[in-house]
PDB file of all heavy atoms in Angstrom:
ATOM      1  N   LEU Y1436      99.913  75.739  97.708  1.00 86.00           N
ATOM      2  CA  LEU Y1436      99.372  77.090  97.716  1.00 86.00           C
ATOM      3  C   LEU Y1436      98.179  77.256  96.776  1.00 86.00           C
ATOM      4  O   LEU Y1436      97.239  77.990  97.083  1.00 86.00           O
ATOM      5  CB  LEU Y1436     100.474  78.100  97.382  1.00 86.00           C
ATOM      6  CG  LEU Y1436     101.607  78.160  98.422  1.00 86.00           C
ATOM      7  CD1 LEU Y1436     102.624  79.221  98.043  1.00 86.00           C
ATOM      8  CD2 LEU Y1436     101.059  78.429  99.812  1.00 86.00           C
ATOM      9  N   LYS Y1437      98.191  76.564  95.649  1.00 80.00           N
ATOM     10  CA  LYS Y1437      97.027  76.631  94.752  1.00 80.00           C
ATOM     11  C   LYS Y1437      95.820  75.994  95.419  1.00 80.00           C
ATOM     12  O   LYS Y1437      94.698  76.477  95.301  1.00 80.00           O
ATOM     13  CB  LYS Y1437      97.328  75.921  93.419  1.00 80.00           C
ATOM     14  CG  LYS Y1437      98.172  76.747  92.470  1.00 80.00           C
ATOM     15  CD  LYS Y1437      98.348  76.059  91.125  1.00 80.00           C
ATOM     16  CE  LYS Y1437      97.098  76.125  90.295  1.00 80.00           C
ATOM     17  NZ  LYS Y1437      97.315  75.627  88.912  1.00 80.00           N
ATOM     18  N   ASP Y1438      96.056  74.902  96.153  1.00 75.00           N
ATOM     19  CA  ASP Y1438      94.966  74.209  96.837  1.00 75.00           C
ATOM     20  C   ASP Y1438      94.369  75.094  97.933  1.00 75.00           C
ATOM     21  O   ASP Y1438      93.156  75.214  98.064  1.00 75.00           O
ATOM     22  CB  ASP Y1438      95.483  72.896  97.445  1.00 75.00           C
ATOM     23  CG  ASP Y1438      94.362  72.070  98.084  1.00 75.00           C
ATOM     24  OD1 ASP Y1438      93.373  71.799  97.382  1.00 75.00           O
ATOM     25  OD2 ASP Y1438      94.482  71.715  99.273  1.00 75.00           O
ATOM     26  N   LYS Y1439      95.243  75.743  98.705  1.00 71.00           N
ATOM     27  CA  LYS Y1439      94.772  76.627  99.775  1.00 71.00           C
ATOM     28  C   LYS Y1439      94.056  77.842  99.202  1.00 71.00           C
ATOM     29  O   LYS Y1439      93.059  78.312  99.750  1.00 71.00           O
ATOM     30  CB  LYS Y1439      95.941  77.072 100.651  1.00 71.00           C
ATOM     31  CG  LYS Y1439      96.496  75.972 101.541  1.00 71.00           C
ATOM     32  CD  LYS Y1439      97.644  76.483 102.391  1.00 71.00           C
ATOM     33  CE  LYS Y1439      98.189  75.378 103.290  1.00 71.00           C
ATOM     34  NZ  LYS Y1439      99.326  75.862 104.124  1.00 71.00           N
ATOM     35  N   LEU Y1440      94.577  78.369  98.090  1.00 66.00           N
ATOM     36  CA  LEU Y1440      93.963  79.527  97.456  1.00 66.00           C
ATOM     37  C   LEU Y1440      92.558  79.186  96.970  1.00 66.00           C
ATOM     38  O   LEU Y1440      91.611  79.937  97.172  1.00 66.00           O
ATOM     39  CB  LEU Y1440      94.821  80.002  96.281  1.00 66.00           C
ATOM     40  CG  LEU Y1440      94.274  81.170  95.470  1.00 66.00           C
ATOM     41  CD1 LEU Y1440      94.128  82.403  96.353  1.00 66.00           C
ATOM     42  CD2 LEU Y1440      95.175  81.467  94.291  1.00 66.00           C
ATOM     43  N   ALA Y1441      92.420  78.029  96.348  1.00 63.00           N
ATOM     44  CA  ALA Y1441      91.124  77.602  95.823  1.00 63.00           C
ATOM     45  C   ALA Y1441      90.095  77.418  96.941  1.00 63.00           C
ATOM     46  O   ALA Y1441      88.908  77.646  96.764  1.00 63.00           O
ATOM     47  CB  ALA Y1441      91.271  76.294  95.043  1.00 63.00           C
ATOM     48  N   LYS Y1442      90.583  77.040  98.130  1.00 59.00           N
ATOM     49  CA  LYS Y1442      89.690  76.814  99.263  1.00 59.00           C
ATOM     50  C   LYS Y1442      89.527  78.055 100.133  1.00 59.00           C
ATOM     51  O   LYS Y1442      88.832  78.029 101.144  1.00 59.00           O
ATOM     52  CB  LYS Y1442      90.222  75.662 100.126  1.00 59.00           C
ATOM     53  CG  LYS Y1442      90.209  74.312  99.420  1.00 59.00           C
ATOM     54  CD  LYS Y1442      90.828  73.238 100.304  1.00 59.00           C
ATOM     55  CE  LYS Y1442      90.830  71.878  99.593  1.00 59.00           C
ATOM     56  NZ  LYS Y1442      91.489  70.831 100.414  1.00 59.00           N
ATOM     57  N   GLY Y1443      90.200  79.152  99.739  1.00 56.00           N
ATOM     58  CA  GLY Y1443      90.113  80.367 100.528  1.00 56.00           C
ATOM     59  C   GLY Y1443      90.818  80.257 101.860  1.00 56.00           C
ATOM     60  O   GLY Y1443      90.464  80.925 102.826  1.00 56.00           O
ATOM     61  N   GLN Y1444      91.847  79.387 101.939  1.00 49.00           N
ATOM     62  CA  GLN Y1444      92.540  79.154 103.200  1.00 49.00           C
ATOM     63  C   GLN Y1444      93.942  79.744 103.222  1.00 49.00           C
ATOM     64  O   GLN Y1444      94.665  79.580 104.192  1.00 49.00           O
ATOM     65  CB  GLN Y1444      92.667  77.638 103.452  1.00 49.00           C
ATOM     66  CG  GLN Y1444      91.341  76.931 103.598  1.00 49.00           C
ATOM     67  CD  GLN Y1444      91.510  75.430 103.697  1.00 49.00           C
ATOM     68  OE1 GLN Y1444      92.573  74.887 103.384  1.00 49.00           O
ATOM     69  NE2 GLN Y1444      90.478  74.759 104.146  1.00 49.00           N
ATOM     70  N   LEU Y1445      94.341  80.437 102.164  1.00 50.00           N
ATOM     71  CA  LEU Y1445      95.712  80.933 102.079  1.00 50.00           C
ATOM     72  C   LEU Y1445      95.900  82.132 102.988  1.00 50.00           C
ATOM     73  O   LEU Y1445      95.179  83.113 102.909  1.00 50.00           O
ATOM     74  CB  LEU Y1445      96.026  81.328 100.636  1.00 50.00           C
ATOM     75  CG  LEU Y1445      97.487  81.556 100.286  1.00 50.00           C
ATOM     76  CD1 LEU Y1445      98.312  80.314 100.582  1.00 50.00           C
ATOM     77  CD2 LEU Y1445      97.621  81.925  98.829  1.00 50.00           C
ATOM     78  N   THR Y1446      96.894  82.057 103.892  1.00 47.00           N
ATOM     79  CA  THR Y1446      97.170  83.155 104.804  1.00 47.00           C
ATOM     80  C   THR Y1446      98.637  83.520 104.769  1.00 47.00           C
ATOM     81  O   THR Y1446      99.475  82.754 104.298  1.00 47.00           O
ATOM     82  CB  THR Y1446      96.806  82.806 106.259  1.00 47.00           C
ATOM     83  OG1 THR Y1446      97.703  81.789 106.729  1.00 47.00           O
ATOM     84  CG2 THR Y1446      95.379  82.307 106.362  1.00 47.00           C
ATOM     85  N   THR Y1447      98.960  84.674 105.315  1.00 43.00           N
ATOM     86  CA  THR Y1447     100.337  85.138 105.361  1.00 43.00           C
ATOM     87  C   THR Y1447     101.098  84.531 106.517  1.00 43.00           C
ATOM     88  O   THR Y1447     102.281  84.741 106.669  1.00 43.00           O
ATOM     89  CB  THR Y1447     100.384  86.669 105.546  1.00 43.00           C
ATOM     90  OG1 THR Y1447      99.778  86.977 106.808  1.00 43.00           O
ATOM     91  CG2 THR Y1447      99.686  87.388 104.434  1.00 43.00           C
ATOM     92  N   GLY Y1448     100.412  83.798 107.377  1.00 44.00           N
ATOM     93  CA  GLY Y1448     101.055  83.276 108.570  1.00 44.00           C
ATOM     94  C   GLY Y1448     100.789  84.205 109.739  1.00 44.00           C
ATOM     95  O   GLY Y1448     101.086  83.901 110.880  1.00 44.00           O
ATOM     96  N   GLY Y1449     100.185  85.345 109.464  1.00 43.00           N
ATOM     97  CA  GLY Y1449      99.848  86.284 110.517  1.00 43.00           C
ATOM     98  C   GLY Y1449      98.349  86.331 110.750  1.00 43.00           C
ATOM     99  O   GLY Y1449      97.832  87.168 111.470  1.00 43.00           O
ATOM    100  N   GLY Y1450      97.612  85.411 110.110  1.00 42.00           N
ATOM    101  CA  GLY Y1450      96.190  85.303 110.341  1.00 42.00           C
ATOM    102  C   GLY Y1450      95.326  85.917 109.257  1.00 42.00           C
ATOM    103  O   GLY Y1450      94.111  85.799 109.280  1.00 42.00           O
ATOM    104  N   GLU Y1451      95.906  86.579 108.281  1.00 42.00           N
ATOM    105  CA  GLU Y1451      95.115  87.218 107.240  1.00 42.00           C
ATOM    106  C   GLU Y1451      94.769  86.194 106.167  1.00 42.00           C
ATOM    107  O   GLU Y1451      95.630  85.530 105.629  1.00 42.00           O
ATOM    108  CB  GLU Y1451      95.889  88.375 106.585  1.00 42.00           C
ATOM    109  CG  GLU Y1451      96.405  89.430 107.555  1.00 42.00           C
ATOM    110  CD  GLU Y1451      97.808  89.154 108.015  1.00 42.00           C
ATOM    111  OE1 GLU Y1451      98.210  87.982 107.991  1.00 42.00           O
ATOM    112  OE2 GLU Y1451      98.492  90.103 108.415  1.00 42.00           O
ATOM    113  N   THR Y1452      93.473  86.075 105.864  1.00 44.00           N
ATOM    114  CA  THR Y1452      93.051  85.112 104.855  1.00 44.00           C
ATOM    115  C   THR Y1452      92.999  85.764 103.489  1.00 44.00           C
ATOM    116  O   THR Y1452      92.438  86.844 103.329  1.00 44.00           O
ATOM    117  CB  THR Y1452      91.652  84.550 105.178  1.00 44.00           C
ATOM    118  OG1 THR Y1452      91.714  83.923 106.459  1.00 44.00           O
ATOM    119  CG2 THR Y1452      91.204  83.548 104.135  1.00 44.00           C
ATOM    120  N   PHE Y1453      93.611  85.125 102.502  1.00 44.00           N
ATOM    121  CA  PHE Y1453      93.591  85.634 101.139  1.00 44.00           C
ATOM    122  C   PHE Y1453      92.284  85.269 100.457  1.00 44.00           C
ATOM    123  O   PHE Y1453      91.672  84.255 100.760  1.00 44.00           O
ATOM    124  CB  PHE Y1453      94.739  85.022 100.327  1.00 44.00           C
ATOM    125  CG  PHE Y1453      96.093  85.528 100.716  1.00 44.00           C
ATOM    126  CD1 PHE Y1453      97.132  84.644 100.930  1.00 44.00           C
ATOM    127  CD2 PHE Y1453      96.332  86.880 100.862  1.00 44.00           C
ATOM    128  CE1 PHE Y1453      98.387  85.112 101.269  1.00 44.00           C
ATOM    129  CE2 PHE Y1453      97.584  87.350 101.207  1.00 44.00           C
ATOM    130  CZ  PHE Y1453      98.609  86.458 101.415  1.00 44.00           C
ATOM    131  N   ALA Y1454      91.898  86.091  99.515  1.00 42.00           N
ATOM    132  CA  ALA Y1454      90.762  85.837  98.624  1.00 42.00           C
ATOM    133  C   ALA Y1454      89.425  85.897  99.341  1.00 42.00           C
ATOM    134  O   ALA Y1454      88.395  85.643  98.754  1.00 42.00           O
ATOM    135  CB  ALA Y1454      90.900  84.482  97.917  1.00 42.00           C
ATOM    136  N   GLY Y1455      89.419  86.242 100.624  1.00 41.00           N
ATOM    137  CA  GLY Y1455      88.173  86.387 101.357  1.00 41.00           C
ATOM    138  C   GLY Y1455      87.345  85.128 101.386  1.00 41.00           C
ATOM    139  O   GLY Y1455      86.127  85.154 101.536  1.00 41.00           O
ATOM    140  N   GLY Y1456      87.990  83.972 101.243  1.00 41.00           N
ATOM    141  CA  GLY Y1456      87.277  82.710 101.293  1.00 41.00           C
ATOM    142  C   GLY Y1456      86.554  82.386  99.997  1.00 41.00           C
ATOM    143  O   GLY Y1456      85.750  81.475  99.933  1.00 41.00           O
TER     144      GLY Y1456
END
Side-chain angles (χ1 to χ4, degrees):
L1436 296 182
K1437 282 185 74 172
D1438 184 54
K1439 288 180 180 180
L1440 177 61
K1442 294 177 181 177
Q1444 297 174 345
L1445 194 58
T1446 68
T1447 63
E1451 305 93 335
T1452 301
F1453 289 132

